[in-house]
Amino acid sequence: MSGIFEKTLESIGSILSPLGTNIGLKNMLERCIAARTRREEEWLIRDCLRLVRAKLSEPSSKPSIIIKCLAFSIFSELCGYKAEFAYIHAVKLAQYGSLAEKKMGYLACSFLLHESDPLSVLLVNTILRDLTSKNIFVIAMALSASCHFIPPDQAPALLPLVDDKLKHPSEYIRSKAVIVLHHFHRRCPQLCAGYLDHIRIMLGDKDPGVVAHVLQFLSDVAQDLPGVVLDITPSIIQIQCQILDGKLPPEYTYRGLHAPWMQISIIRLLRYLKQPNETVYKLIQKTLQIAKSKGDEAIGAAIISECITTLVHHRAGDELLASSLLCVVDLMGNVSGNFRYAGLSLLELVLERYKLPLSAAQQEVVLSSLRHPDEAMKRRTLSLLCTVAEAHNAEAVCTQVADYVRDQCTQSPHDLVSRAVALTDKFPDPHTHWHIAVLIRLLPLAQHKQAKAIQRRIQLTLLEENGDSEHTAAARIKVLHILGKYSESKTVSTSVLEVYVWALSHFCSTGDQEGRDVLEKLVILGHKVLRNQDSSSPMSEGIRSLLISIIHAATHTAERCGTTIPSLEEFLRETVNSPLTDVYLRQTCREGLSVLPHVSEISQTLQRSNLQTKTQLDFTLSFLDTFVCKSLEDGAQPYQPKLLHVATTPVQDTVTPTPDVGASAVTPTAPTAPSPCPSPISSGTGSIVDFPRSESCSSEDSRSWSLRSPRREQSHVKSIWSREGRAKNNDSRVGSNPKEQATLTTSDSEMQHLASLLFKRQETPSQRDPLDDLLHRDFQKLSIVKTEKS
């Protein structure tokens, strides 16, 4: 009776023990998953980990208990709770366990250990020993584990054993060996170069699965060594012919196509041939025709895309191009949004190499895709329009890009903005100056280096003297008025203000009163920017760059006009004494204070130099070479460009009393921070050397200087996936944007007008002025960097 009672208590204890049975482990996992708060979850997992640690510390723990403990350790690691005490048990299980236990040990090690972990070194000898086993399952586990635990410096000891497994009688082991060599080729290709000949020979393997892995391996090799394709071309052509003839086993057929992924690998390999022969073209055409019959399947469309990409890459003949274009038209006309997206991508690829006009059907698809609810479709359509743009429709394309980026784009628009800027460079118009209007519209929408590049393009365009001088002068005045209206907005970006202050200093009259008015505007803007900053947070890079531009523009205007105002000196002193300014901004203000007492002499000197045609200003400052050499010998710091001094430690500077205006502001040997942008040259010729450098602005907070920054609205529209692709749930009308609904219900007249702008060449030039149109826009809306997204 006592024995039965003891056994009953033991069984009850095993059931109640969290790790005694699978039910106990399941209960532990369910309790941790069902935790209502993070703190409760942490308490439960740590309590269970203490129990797991106690179980593993018992000297006579069964392998089944160890496996359950490792399973919970993996779960806790995935939840973010470390279980280092279980690592050594996973290694021991992989070293000395049975076949099932070894599998669990390797699996636990792959989850718990990293390649750089010290315990991973213990697995290297285990893997090398298991590779010499006669059990194919042990060998397969060792090959799989070698991709996780063998570092590149120990690969030479492993690769000969892996190479020997390429000749193993089991196709399962041969496939694993090819996968391991592929892995190490990606990590250390120089060590695997000697095994490429063995891989090429395996293209004749009797098992199609091994050949499929070899083709994927060679696809990566061909990216670095395109010449490898020349040696294997007859083999891959023969393999493709066997696939198209249906000679592979039935299990390699997917959606009615024989080994489609192998076909994709072969077509990609043929892309690396330098001069394909007629046999290659016929093979691709045959593949294209067979895949066209299954064009309503995604895998068939994938093969079609690869074939067309290869034909366009090799610039195939007109006959092949015509047949491929028919496939593109079929994809574009498909009701599925995914297929239409693929068709638009292929059409863009074709039109990049072949300048062909769009047919009426293609134009209709492009217009409908431009109003598609899927944002990816719109981006692809706009990219296609940028590819086919010409002089007569470049303005319309750029306008569509600007409208989309401002109103609807929810992701980074760098690619579309770059394409639109490239069109303004390719098709400028010196009479209408539409490219300047587009650049001004794109400037508030650009970020980082793109904004600096657009600023430079606007400045270069305004300084050009090409064409009629009256048109150029009128364009400068209009741009100045447009930027002035932009500056009145409370959400204007700093990049627009930088161009505005530059235009004020360069295109104002040289009269005394006009110069004072410009200086008043600059000082008012500078005070507004400086005083709106929060003293508790550091100054952003965009605000810092704007203040430097204002100081440079004010100094440049004072030198051109030979006059100054008292408020300018007050602004410079206030900026110097501000706790928000850094060392370079203070140094710029001190230089301006040193120049102000001598602006009349500088202006007279510049006027005399302009009258003397033989005298030219030395913009290289070569007359300072002796002074620079002497300063360097005395220990002065050399100048470092912007890209180099970013990584250096910034020079610390403290707020010091402002020196006397007539005294020198800087001692020759004082280390100063390198300048992020050059000072403007004091000349009235408008030299390009006074442009700011193309440097990166900071994040969104640096784009608006006012107290009321534009905030990104959270979109509540639920995106769904359907057979037509990813689209918004317009039926539910939940969180729908009225602007988006108005866009989707575009009238026929608007569509016809848009089609005429994009696809019809205007016989008579338009009398409209894009700069005038931009001048009469609602600048409160145009200035907002990101509006509510649908």
Side-chain angles (χ1 to χ4, degrees):
M1 189 67 179
S2 60
I4 297 175
F5 182 72
E6 290 178 0
K7 290 182 180 180
T8 304
L9 290 178
E10 183 181 355
S11 62
I12 293 175
S14 63
I15 292 175
L16 297 178
S17 175
L19 294 174
T21 62
N22 292 332
I23 298 177
L25 176 62
K26 181 180 178 181
N27 290 335
M28 286 177 58
L29 297 176
E30 288 178 351
R31 287 175 58 198
C32 296
I33 294 173
R36 293 172 295 179
T37 61
R38 180 71 176 177
R39 188 169 184 177
E40 182 181 355
E41 174 191 304
E42 181 179 358
W43 179 81
L44 287 173
I45 292 181
R46 294 191 183 280
D47 187 51
C48 294
L49 284 178
R50 284 194 294 269
L51 179 60
V52 168
R53 187 167 190 171
K55 284 287 183 181
L56 290 177
S57 61
E58 294 178 359
S60 59
S61 297
K62 297 181 180 179
S64 59
I65 299 297
I66 296 177
I67 291 176
K68 293 182 179 66
C69 292
L70 291 177
F72 189 83
S73 300
I74 294 174
F75 171 77
S76 63
E77 288 274 342
L78 293 177
C79 292
Y81 303 93
K82 290 295 182 180
E84 293 91 346
F85 57 86
Y87 294 176
I88 187 62
H89 296 278
V91 174
K92 290 181 179 178
L93 206 62
Q95 287 178 334
Y96 307 112
S98 61
L99 186 61
E101 296 165 0
K102 183 182 288 290
K103 180 180 180 180
M104 182 60 192
Y106 275 131
L107 179 63
C109 289
S110 64
F111 273 103
L112 300 176
L113 300 180
H114 300 282
E115 183 184 283
S116 58
D117 197 293
L119 290 177
S120 298
V121 181
L122 301 177
L123 289 174
V124 175
N125 291 330
T126 303
I127 293 173
L128 296 178
R129 185 188 67 225
D130 289 344
L131 286 176
T132 60
S133 175
K134 295 182 179 180
N135 191 325
I136 61 173
F137 298 106
V138 174
I139 299 174
M141 284 188 288
L143 289 172
S144 300
S146 61
C147 296
H148 293 276
F149 306 113
I150 302 297
D153 56 348
Q154 298 185 11
L158 174 76
L159 292 178
L161 297 175
V162 177
D163 179 61
D164 184 63
K165 296 299 178 288
L166 295 175
K167 306 173 185 177
H168 198 275
S170 173
E171 64 275 4
Y172 180 61
I173 299 301
R174 295 199 301 271
S175 298
K176 288 283 187 180
V178 174
I179 293 173
V180 173
L181 283 176
H182 193 182
H183 166 76
F184 282 100
H185 177 267
R186 290 178 173 177
R187 302 198 61 189
C188 45
Q190 67 279 1
L191 297 178
C192 300
Y195 303 99
L196 294 181
D197 293 336
H198 300 170
I199 292 295
R200 285 198 292 262
I201 294 174
M202 294 192 68
L203 282 173
D205 195 277
K206 60 182 180 180
D207 184 74
V210 178
V211 177
H213 289 103
V214 172
L215 289 173
Q216 293 178 1
F217 187 2
L218 294 176
S219 297
D220 276 0
V221 174
Q223 295 179 6
D224 300 325
L225 301 173
V228 74
V229 182
L230 185 62
D231 300 333
I232 63 174
T233 300
S235 300
I236 60 178
I237 289 177
Q238 184 180 4
I239 295 171
Q240 181 68 4
C241 291
Q242 293 179 0
I243 294 174
L244 296 179
D245 294 339
K247 295 183 178 180
L248 268 65
E251 57 265 22
Y252 287 91
T253 301
Y254 177 76
R255 300 289 185 178
L257 292 172
H258 301 289
W261 285 277
M262 292 178 66
Q263 295 188 47
I264 291 175
S265 299
I266 291 173
I267 298 300
R268 287 178 179 176
L269 283 171
L270 295 176
R271 199 176 302 165
Y272 293 99
L273 292 175
K274 291 184 178 180
Q275 294 180 351
N277 52 26
E278 192 66 24
T279 305
V280 174
Y281 284 135
K282 289 183 179 180
L283 182 65
I284 296 177
Q285 189 175 17
K286 183 179 179 181
T287 305
L288 190 62
Q289 293 299 325
I290 295 176
K292 185 180 178 181
S293 62
K294 298 295 181 180
D296 54 344
E297 298 288 345
I299 190 63
I303 296 177
I304 291 174
S305 300
E306 294 296 336
C307 291
I308 295 177
T309 304
T310 303
L311 291 175
V312 173
H313 177 77
H314 290 305
R315 293 185 177 272
D318 297 338
E319 182 179 355
L320 291 176
L321 180 62
S323 62
S324 62
L325 284 178
L326 292 177
C327 298
V328 174
V329 172
D330 293 340
L331 288 176
M332 293 178 62
N334 199 296
V335 295
S336 173
N338 297 329
F339 285 80
R340 182 182 294 186
Y341 184 90
L344 291 172
S345 303
L346 291 175
L347 182 61
E348 181 182 358
L349 182 65
V350 172
L351 296 180
E352 283 179 353
R353 297 296 183 94
Y354 304 91
K355 297 301 180 181
L356 302 174
L358 293 177
S359 63
Q362 292 172 347
Q363 293 177 10
E364 184 179 356
V365 173
V366 169
L367 289 177
S368 62
S369 300
L370 200 59
R371 295 294 181 262
H372 199 276
D374 192 352
E375 185 175 324
M377 189 75 69
K378 297 177 183 177
R379 294 172 67 94
R380 177 53 59 190
T381 307
L382 290 172
S383 179
L384 172 62
L385 290 176
C386 291
T387 300
V388 301
E390 297 179 358
H392 69 279
N393 62 353
E395 180 184 356
V397 172
C398 293
T399 301
Q400 291 295 317
V401 171
D403 291 341
Y404 167 73
V405 173
R406 187 192 71 240
D407 298 333
Q408 304 174 29
C409 187
T410 59
Q411 298 179 358
S412 176
H414 298 306
D415 53 343
L416 289 178
V417 173
S418 300
R419 299 288 296 273
V421 172
L423 288 179
T424 60
D425 285 347
K426 188 176 181 180
F427 304 109
D429 191 341
H431 298 289
T432 62
H433 296 94
W434 71 265
H435 54 292
I436 302 179
V438 169
L439 289 174
I440 293 175
R441 290 194 62 191
L442 293 175
L443 183 57
L445 307 174
Q447 298 178 0
H448 305 293
K449 292 184 179 180
Q450 279 186 336
K452 293 296 181 182
I454 294 176
Q455 288 177 352
R456 184 180 292 269
R457 292 174 191 275
I458 294 175
Q459 294 167 350
L460 283 172
T461 305
L462 294 176
L463 289 176
E464 287 179 353
E465 297 293 343
N466 298 335
D468 191 358
S469 59
E470 295 182 359
H471 284 82
T472 303
R476 292 172 179 173
I477 296 175
K478 291 178 182 179
V479 168
L480 196 56
H481 287 307
I482 293 170
L483 295 176
K485 277 199 170 184
Y486 261 114
S487 65
E488 297 173 2
S489 172
K490 295 182 179 180
T491 55
V492 62
S493 64
T494 57
S495 57
V496 174
L497 290 177
E498 288 181 20
V499 179
Y500 173 59
V501 299
W502 176 89
L504 275 178
S505 63
H506 279 75
F507 302 133
C508 66
S509 302
T510 57
D512 190 10
Q513 185 59 39
E514 290 80 0
R516 290 178 180 273
D517 294 341
V518 171
L519 290 178
E520 286 288 348
K521 293 180 181 179
L522 293 174
V523 170
I524 292 174
L525 181 60
H527 278 301
K528 191 175 181 180
V529 173
L530 184 62
R531 293 172 182 175
N532 280 345
Q533 300 307 304
D534 187 5
S535 59
S536 61
S537 59
M539 183 180 294
S540 62
E541 183 66 23
I543 300 299
R544 174 180 176 274
S545 178
L546 176 58
L547 287 174
I548 292 173
S549 300
I550 292 174
I551 296 170
H552 285 169
T555 308
H556 181 57
T557 303
E559 292 172 352
R560 287 182 66 236
C561 301
T563 183
T564 184
I565 55 176
S567 57
L568 176 58
E569 183 178 351
E570 296 176 1
F571 166 67
L572 293 177
R573 293 184 183 277
E574 181 181 351
T575 307
V576 169
N577 297 324
S578 174
L580 299 176
T581 56
D582 61 350
V583 58
Y584 178 72
L585 184 54
R586 275 193 208 102
Q587 189 65 33
T588 305
C589 295
R590 291 167 184 167
E591 291 176 0
L593 290 171
S594 301
V595 169
L596 290 183
H598 311 289
V599 291
S600 59
E601 292 85 351
I602 294 174
S603 177
Q604 295 175 4
T605 304
L606 292 176
Q607 293 176 3
R608 288 196 301 268
S609 64
N610 291 333
L611 294 176
Q612 299 175 0
T613 56
K614 295 183 179 180
T615 304
Q616 296 181 356
L617 295 178
D618 185 6
F619 292 105
T620 63
L621 304 181
S622 59
F623 59 90
L624 294 175
D625 289 347
T626 304
F627 171 76
V628 172
C629 293
K630 184 177 182 302
S631 300
L632 291 175
E633 292 175 356
D634 294 339
Q637 296 294 326
Y639 170 76
Q640 291 183 347
K642 174 67 176 178
L643 297 178
L644 295 180
H645 88 269
V646 169
T648 60
T649 304
V651 181
Q652 299 294 331
D653 188 23
T654 57
V655 179
T656 57
T658 305
D660 185 68
V661 176
S664 177
V666 186
T667 57
T669 58
T672 59
S675 170
C677 52
S679 300
I681 299 300
S682 303
S683 67
T685 58
S687 173
I688 63 173
V689 294
D690 57 345
F691 290 173
R693 291 173 180 257
S694 296
E695 62 183 21
S696 173
C697 293
S698 63
S699 60
E700 198 70 32
D701 59 345
S702 68
R703 299 180 52 77
S704 178
W705 56 267
S706 67
L707 290 175
R708 188 167 65 89
S709 302
R711 296 183 179 179
R712 297 191 176 187
E713 301 290 342
Q714 296 294 331
S715 177
H716 300 287
V717 180
K718 182 179 179 181
S719 297
I720 58 174
W721 281 97
S722 63
R723 292 182 60 86
E724 288 74 25
R726 185 174 66 86
K728 294 180 174 60
N729 191 1
N730 293 325
D731 296 334
S732 61
R733 305 299 183 190
V734 177
S736 58
N737 191 358
K739 182 183 295 183
E740 179 66 21
Q741 295 179 13
T743 304
L744 293 177
T745 59
T746 307
S747 62
D748 294 339
S749 59
E750 293 178 354
M751 294 293 291
Q752 292 176 1
H753 177 66
L754 181 59
S756 63
L757 291 177
L758 292 175
F759 304 119
K760 293 182 181 180
R761 189 181 298 273
Q762 302 294 331
E763 297 180 358
T764 59
S766 177
Q767 300 298 327
R768 54 176 290 273
D769 190 344
L771 290 177
D772 286 338
D773 295 344
L774 188 60
L775 189 61
H776 294 88
R777 293 243 181 170
D778 187 354
F779 285 87
Q780 293 294 334
K781 294 181 180 180
L782 288 178
S783 299
I784 296 177
V785 180
K786 292 290 182 184
T787 58
E788 183 180 358
K789 300 297 183 300
S790 56

